[in-house]
Amino acid sequence: MLKSNFLLLFISLYVQSLAQDISLALQKTPRLTEVQRMQKWDAMQEDVTVSFASSSTRFTKELPSGVVKKTAWELSGWKNEKLHVQILAATKIDLKGMTVAAGDLRNETGDVLKKEQLSLGFIQYVITDEFRDGCGHRKSVDFDSSMVADIINTELRSMDVSKHTTQPVWLTIQIPGKQPAGKYTGTISVTAGKTYKLQLILTIADRTLPAPKDWSFQLDYWQHPAAIARVHRVKLWSAAHFEQMRKYYTMLANAGQKVITASIVDEPWGHQTYDDYPGLIKWTKKKNGTWTYDYSLFDKYIDFVMSCGIRNRINCYSMVPWKIAFKYYDEASQKDTVFTGAIGNPEYNEFWRTMLVDFTAHLKKKGWFGITTIAMDERPMRAMQSVISLLKTVDPAWKISLAGEWHPEIEKDIYDYCIASKWAFPDAILKERKQAGKTSTWYTCCTEKYPNMFTFSPPDEGVWAGWYTAASGMDGFLRWAYNSWTRSPLTDSRFTAWPAGDTYQVYPGPLSSVRFEKLIEGVQDFEKINALRKSYQMKNETIKLKELEAALQTFTIEKLSQQSAQEMVEKYKHLLN
């Protein structure tokens, strides 16, 4: 029932805003004239062309795909790996009820990869813009906008396709961990006016990836609970809200997510997002001047997210928010009040010390203190140093997370250090951090044109991120945000402040995206690279190890400025299978 309700909601939202938004999306970039567009369609010999295509390309809806027709496609992967390929239908005529169906795959010895391990999703289009000016407030009319293929809608079982349209379909193969190795073949049936048969050939290597919960890659997508309540039209923190959140957080856990984003104050990012970001702890100042802290929602939320499979770390935002305005309830005045004392002042230290002493005791009682950090996000040095000092006086065992610039002055104090992509950890420091069991990662945001995961970014930049992480010796990748949705996320990924798609990686539903799936592919490649490194070292296969390490050395930001991510990844993918 919930799935049906969401499908109706999706269609309603999509239809309501698509017409008005498309005209805005197409207003700046010079497009082909209608005559030029029709000439391209006239050059297509068949009324309907059905073909496999790479998952690394986003295809333009209103033009023929331009790919060389392929009715057979070969893939290779490990057990427990998820693989992708696209299926395209380019049509000169209206198609009613296009469907795509997968059958079982079989190998020569009779082993079967069940069709249930193959999922299909029609790819839908969303408005994007461009990187120009990167961070900073923007008006949509000032930026080049277009329609881009990104939403993977697995809810739709069929689709009407208008004439002179290219419609992509995303095919995912999830190889079971216990599937016998070998070469499997099967058929994909596409009904588009008539039935087309495509042959899928899958080679499964005799190697096994760990399950996502056991991946070593430290993936950190920041979660936004209030956005889910708004889009699904349910009351914040209600049973219905938690029911909706479970689908999103389980999906994120299956991508290898390791970190819970926990807001211990209201608006740790200063109202930057379309939806509010409420705190999970209620602060109360009693009439006698003492303080109490209600952790009931915090506890419920953390327990809930852990039950979805995300349980390695709790990052608490933040003692150093983007705007110093900490809300609490004042019993004396019987109203919500805001503390605005400057970081480092005696009033600030007293305000937070009282809370931290209580919070520390609570976390230890829950058994969470060892996996909890106080998290900071791109804050001034003096403020960060002051907070670090205060934390250590409360309990020297407090862990600290930081996403920001490279600061050698405080590096030793940071347990979970995530640096911007323009920086690199010095080799000696990275080695020390690994030996100390600390986490060292990197991130991208609105600052970087590449590599990135905007809706207009080349899909393989997500895969490239996994290779770069392995090449650099870092532990993982962070990106805000998983689901800080725009006003109409299913149709328009543009936001008022940053390049399109910066604020979310998946869509309401939950529906995955091309860029989210390609990032998961990169995480899988990271796991495969590290497994092969260990195997080659153990077996003394020095030639293979040197070849792999030589390939990894090419994965630098500088090289990415000279070549596409797709070129770099495709050149070396064969080394992993």
Side-chain angles (χ1 to χ4, degrees):
M1 184 64 179
L2 281 172
K3 182 176 286 188
S4 299
N5 287 341
F6 175 73
L7 188 54
L8 291 174
L9 173 62
F10 174 90
I11 294 171
S12 173
L13 293 173
Y14 199 82
V15 171
Q16 284 174 24
S17 56
L18 188 58
Q20 65 187 46
D21 291 338
I22 287 176
S23 61
L24 292 173
L26 302 178
Q27 65 186 357
K28 288 189 66 68
T29 297
R31 309 293 173 185
L32 294 176
T33 66
E34 186 65 12
V35 171
Q36 291 171 324
R37 190 172 76 91
M38 293 308 300
Q39 286 174 342
K40 290 185 175 292
W41 282 108
D42 289 341
M44 197 173 88
Q45 295 181 352
E46 302 171 280
D47 282 345
V48 179
T49 299
V50 174
S51 175
F52 280 117
S54 168
S55 64
S56 302
T57 302
R58 287 192 174 97
F59 292 93
T60 304
K61 186 174 186 178
E62 65 269 17
L63 295 174
S65 64
V67 300
V68 176
K69 183 178 177 180
K70 292 187 177 181
T71 57
W73 194 267
E74 295 191 30
L75 303 95
S76 299
W78 294 16
K79 301 172 188 180
N80 262 345
E81 186 175 1
K82 184 162 65 168
L83 305 175
H84 311 289
V85 64
Q86 290 188 89
I87 299 164
L88 303 178
T91 179
K92 296 163 67 173
I93 60 175
D94 290 330
L95 298 175
K96 294 293 184 181
M98 174 183 166
T99 62
V100 185
D104 294 341
L105 277 64
R106 301 176 185 273
N107 67 10
E108 293 179 350
T109 59
D111 297 311
V112 178
L113 178 67
K114 295 290 188 180
K115 62 184 179 182
E116 287 76 17
Q117 302 302 131
L118 283 69
S119 69
L120 293 151
F122 286 95
I123 296 182
Q124 294 181 297
Y125 290 76
V126 64
I127 298 173
T128 190
D129 56 22
E130 59 179 330
F131 179 78
R132 181 169 55 85
D133 298 332
C135 303
H137 288 275
R138 53 176 60 199
K139 295 180 179 179
S140 294
V141 295
D142 296 331
F143 289 80
D144 185 13
S145 297
S146 60
M147 303 295 291
V148 66
D150 195 50
I151 305 171
I152 302 174
N153 193 337
T154 53
E155 302 286 343
L156 297 178
R157 294 292 170 259
S158 66
M159 176 181 280
D160 292 341
V161 182
S162 301
K163 63 182 179 181
H164 303 134
T165 295
T166 292
Q167 176 59 54
V169 176
W170 191 265
L171 169 60
T172 294
I173 307 168
Q174 179 64 64
I175 305 173
K178 295 183 179 180
Q179 189 71 31
K183 180 176 283 190
Y184 292 74
T185 59
T187 300
I188 308 297
S189 300
V190 181
T191 302
K194 65 178 183 179
T195 299
Y196 298 81
K197 299 292 187 181
L198 306 177
Q199 185 181 39
L200 191 65
I201 305 163
L202 170 65
T203 299
I204 302 176
D206 196 16
R207 294 183 182 273
T208 305
L209 272 179
K213 67 181 180 63
D214 298 320
W215 289 347
S216 63
F217 192 96
Q218 298 294 304
L219 182 63
D220 185 6
Y221 272 125
W222 294 353
Q223 307 103 52
H224 195 158
I228 296 173
R230 187 257 302 182
V231 165
H232 287 278
R233 302 174 183 174
V234 295
K235 183 180 178 181
L236 185 68
W237 309 128
S238 65
H241 183 204
F242 278 92
E243 187 175 0
Q244 292 294 342
M245 284 194 293
R246 182 169 297 280
K247 296 182 290 185
Y248 292 91
Y249 290 10
T250 301
M251 181 177 176
L252 185 55
N254 288 337
Q257 175 76 9
K258 297 294 187 286
V259 186
I260 301 171
T261 308
S263 52
I264 56 174
V265 299
D266 277 0
E267 295 301 328
W269 293 281
H271 294 278
Q272 291 189 88
T273 51
Y274 184 85
D275 296 289
D276 289 339
Y277 218 113
L280 295 165
I281 299 171
K282 183 177 180 181
W283 301 47
T284 301
K285 187 175 184 180
K286 309 292 283 185
K287 290 181 180 179
N288 63 3
T290 61
W291 289 85
T292 61
Y293 309 94
D294 183 351
Y295 301 112
S296 56
L297 178 58
F298 177 87
D299 294 349
K300 180 178 180 180
Y301 183 75
I302 299 302
D303 277 329
F304 165 77
V305 180
M306 287 185 171
S307 76
C308 296
I310 304 170
R311 55 175 65 93
N312 290 59
R313 192 161 67 253
I314 306 165
N315 283 5
C316 296
Y317 293 90
S318 173
M319 291 175 63
V320 197
W322 285 57
K323 181 181 179 181
I324 306 302
F326 302 115
K327 188 176 79 172
Y328 65 93
Y329 182 75
D330 190 314
E331 280 192 348
S333 62
Q334 296 186 345
K335 64 180 181 180
D336 286 334
T337 308
V338 177
F339 176 84
T340 58
I343 295 174
N345 284 358
E347 296 83 3
Y348 174 94
N349 289 344
E350 183 60 26
F351 178 83
W352 270 102
R353 185 188 306 278
T354 304
M355 188 273 180
L356 287 169
V357 169
D358 195 79
F359 192 37
T360 301
H362 180 76
L363 290 169
K364 288 182 177 180
K365 183 178 179 180
K366 295 290 293 184
W368 293 340
F369 181 71
I371 62 170
T372 300
T373 76
I374 293 295
M376 303 182 290
D377 172 27
E378 299 176 334
R379 297 296 80 209
M381 171 61 71
R382 186 171 295 180
M384 293 190 294
Q385 288 175 320
S386 178
V387 166
I388 291 169
S389 177
L390 176 59
L391 277 167
K392 296 303 182 183
T393 65
V394 173
D395 193 315
W398 258 110
K399 293 183 174 70
I400 299 161
S401 292
L402 170 62
E405 303 291 286
W406 168 243
H407 298 297
E409 306 95 318
I410 59 174
E411 177 273 321
K412 291 188 181 301
D413 295 310
I414 308 300
Y415 168 77
D416 171 21
Y417 201 160
C418 184
I419 57 175
S421 66
K422 67 180 179 180
W423 297 101
F425 288 100
D427 291 341
I429 296 295
L430 194 57
K431 183 177 180 180
E432 289 176 5
R433 293 183 61 80
K434 284 185 180 294
Q435 291 174 343
K438 296 178 178 178
T439 301
S440 309
T441 62
W442 65 289
Y443 73 95
T444 64
C445 61
C446 58
T447 304
E448 298 90 349
K449 184 175 183 179
Y450 55 82
N452 225 311
M453 289 86 192
F454 304 123
T455 39
F456 55 78
S457 296
D460 274 348
E461 288 188 7
V463 186
W464 189 96
W467 285 74
Y468 174 69
T469 306
S472 64
M474 291 187 283
D475 301 312
F477 176 77
L478 174 154
R479 206 184 193 297
W480 100 289
Y482 179 56
N483 66 306
S484 285
W485 289 311
T486 56
R487 178 181 63 86
S488 304
L490 289 165
T491 60
D492 194 344
S493 67
R494 296 172 299 177
F495 192 53
T496 58
W498 306 293
D502 186 50
T503 67
Y504 63 103
Q505 299 294 306
V506 299
Y507 292 85
L511 302 176
S512 191
S513 69
V514 171
R515 54 206 161 108
F516 186 62
E517 294 300 325
K518 296 301 277 187
L519 187 278
I520 295 172
E521 182 181 333
V523 175
Q524 291 180 150
D525 284 356
F526 172 93
E527 296 294 324
K528 292 168 76 172
I529 288 166
N530 284 345
L532 289 173
R533 279 170 159 166
K534 292 177 183 177
S535 175
Y536 294 156
Q537 290 169 353
M538 185 182 302
K539 297 177 181 179
N540 201 29
E541 295 182 282
T542 56
I543 295 177
K544 290 182 178 180
L545 181 60
K546 286 180 179 179
E547 185 180 18
L548 179 58
E549 295 296 346
L552 289 168
Q553 293 308 306
T554 67
F555 282 81
T556 65
I557 304 292
E558 181 182 9
K559 287 282 188 182
L560 188 58
S561 69
Q562 302 163 1
Q563 301 178 53
S564 73
Q566 182 177 351
E567 289 174 321
M568 297 178 72
V569 169
E570 287 183 349
K571 184 176 181 179
Y572 296 113
K573 268 279 194 179
H574 70 278
L575 297 178
L576 305 187
N577 293 311

